[in-house]
Amino acid sequence: MDDWQGDTLLKQLYTDTAAQHSLSFAEEGQDRSQGRTLLQQLIGTFPSNDSDEVKLLETVDCGTYIRKRIELSASPYSSFAAYVLIPKNLTTPAPAVIAIHGHGYGSREIVGLLPNGETDLNTPGIHQHYAVQLVNRGLITIAPDVIGFGERRLAEDMARNAEVANSCDSLSSRMLLMGKTLAGFRVHELLKVVDVLSEMPEVDAERIGIMGFSGGALIAYLTAVLDQRIRATVLTGFTNTYQDSILHIHHCICNYIPGQAVYADLPQWIGLIAPRPLFVEGGKGDPIFPLQGVEQAITQLQQIYLQHHAEEQFAYDLFEGSHEISGRYAYDWIQKKLAIVD
């Protein structure tokens, strides 16, 4: 009777799959290069828009910084907006961080705005207005709108339900049918953000970092693996093992990249960032990325950085909290890492 429900099947499938992991990403060399190539293949590629045109949509004086909203495009078929927060009184090009929101109402949630664009005077939610925290530390911060959230929900989804939380299911399922992944397209757009950020006169292109929360951390790590211009990475509310999180607890479909678990567990994929600086943050009471999996992932990442003789480039913080950003150490950590030019 127990075999009727498929639980044993899933457990055994993962056990058999994990036993066949064929790539070792710990050592620098052929396997790591192969891992990056494989990762790009798994998430898929998309047609590019080669135009570097950037439209300025608005400029707002926020006291200690200027907030701009720009429009850019990575695809012939779509464009998107991003908020750029620039500290006042810069005298030289400054370090910059790409800040990626998780599931919620989009980039406005991390730059201190309500869904309608008005200033959020309430106590910050799980995103903690963290782009503002970064710019107040002297870091130019760009917060792109991730497709599927806020103003980038599908029109047909909103026609059925104006309050629909996101369009991840619609976008993911259709892309999968066509051999693509939603994560892949989100990374495709973020790589364009790196291009645009690198060309901004205010930005020191040698000191670009990335920070993502939850689903934003998924595409943050993928982008950091695939683009060596990312000099420091913060992942919060995400780092775990497949068995303890993505395969054990219900998650949005956008987390699932076909075939990834065939080759390695999540910490090994994240470990492709090494030896560049990496900070992992997690709430001890996070119900969807449980502490046990976070601790296992941290142990594996420590080993990877040790084998790269880069132990000092990996750090973590497990705080008393749930599925949320803390930032108590992460903000200062990325500021210090981007202050160093090799």
Side-chain angles (χ1 to χ4, degrees):
M1 289 284 292
D2 291 343
D3 293 343
W4 288 9
Q5 296 173 304
D7 299 77
T8 301
L9 169 66
L10 287 175
K11 290 179 182 178
Q12 193 59 47
L13 278 175
Y14 182 76
T15 299
D16 294 346
T17 299
Q20 298 177 45
H21 284 170
S22 58
L23 297 179
S24 172
F25 299 147
E27 300 292 343
E28 185 62 59
Q30 180 61 38
D31 279 350
R32 291 179 62 79
S33 175
Q34 183 182 0
R36 294 187 184 100
T37 300
L38 178 60
L39 185 61
Q40 182 67 77
Q41 294 171 346
L42 290 173
I43 66 174
T45 57
F46 294 83
S48 294
N49 180 355
D50 295 328
S51 171
D52 291 327
E53 180 183 5
V54 175
K55 296 179 182 179
L56 178 62
L57 303 178
E58 67 175 22
T59 301
V60 179
D61 188 328
C62 296
T64 59
Y65 63 92
I66 301 296
R67 186 183 73 229
K68 297 183 179 182
R69 200 178 195 205
I70 62 173
E71 182 184 59
L72 59 158
S73 175
S75 163
Y77 318 116
S78 67
S79 59
F80 60 101
Y83 285 103
V84 184
L85 312 185
I86 304 175
K88 283 187 175 179
N89 304 318
L90 291 179
T91 57
T92 59
V97 177
I98 303 168
I100 313 169
H101 63 83
H103 286 66
Y105 58 83
S107 63
R108 287 174 173 165
E109 193 162 1
I110 66 175
V111 301
L113 299 175
L114 296 169
N116 63 6
E118 295 179 359
T119 301
D120 185 0
L121 301 177
N122 302 310
T123 301
I126 60 176
H127 282 83
Q128 293 296 315
H129 297 170
Y130 84 88
V132 178
Q133 298 290 337
L134 294 171
V135 73
N136 283 338
R137 285 167 170 76
L139 300 165
I140 295 171
T141 306
I142 185 168
D145 280 322
V146 178
I147 191 169
F149 302 103
E151 295 175 289
R152 301 196 71 195
R153 289 170 291 174
L154 290 177
E156 61 182 69
D157 282 349
M158 296 181 67
R160 285 191 292 266
N161 175 12
E163 302 302 319
V164 65
N166 59 70
S167 290
C168 293
D169 187 75
S170 299
L171 286 162
S172 292
S173 57
R174 298 179 199 188
M175 287 186 181
L176 288 171
L177 192 62
M178 294 179 281
K180 306 289 186 180
T181 68
L182 180 54
F185 187 75
R186 287 170 172 171
V187 170
H188 179 76
E189 291 194 325
L190 283 183
L191 294 174
K192 186 68 170 189
V193 171
V194 181
D195 291 341
V196 169
L197 197 58
S198 299
E199 296 299 320
M200 290 183 178
E202 303 92 343
V203 172
D204 182 343
E206 296 299 315
R207 294 188 288 168
I208 294 176
I210 197 166
M211 179 172 178
F213 168 59
S214 191
L218 165 66
I219 53 177
Y221 103 75
L222 292 169
T223 303
V225 167
L226 296 174
D227 196 328
Q228 299 291 311
R229 292 174 295 177
I230 302 297
R231 305 299 296 272
T233 302
V234 174
L235 306 177
T236 182
F238 173 75
T239 304
N240 218 280
T241 64
Y242 286 138
Q243 185 72 329
D244 286 302
S245 59
I246 304 298
L247 292 179
H248 181 64
I249 296 164
H250 178 74
H251 281 267
C252 178
I253 190 174
C254 65
N255 285 280
Y256 299 86
I257 298 172
Q260 259 201 309
V262 172
Y263 300 96
D265 200 354
L266 183 56
Q268 281 69 56
W269 288 112
I270 295 173
L272 286 171
I273 294 171
R276 287 170 291 153
L278 171 64
F279 190 100
V280 168
E281 179 184 77
K284 293 181 181 179
D286 191 331
I288 59 174
F289 292 98
L291 180 60
Q292 176 181 334
V294 181
E295 292 176 330
Q296 289 184 26
I298 286 171
T299 298
Q300 294 178 49
L301 286 165
Q302 286 175 320
Q303 183 62 27
I304 291 172
Y305 273 80
L306 177 64
Q307 292 180 346
H308 278 276
H309 308 288
E311 305 96 305
E312 73 285 355
Q313 301 297 354
F314 177 71
Y316 66 93
D317 178 33
L318 300 178
F319 60 91
E320 299 295 337
S322 185
H323 186 61
E324 59 189 311
I325 287 179
S326 165
R328 60 177 181 174
Y329 303 126
Y331 301 141
D332 291 337
W333 178 90
I334 197 168
Q335 177 191 33
K336 291 176 182 177
K337 289 298 180 182
L338 293 178
I340 300 171
V341 179
D342 294 336

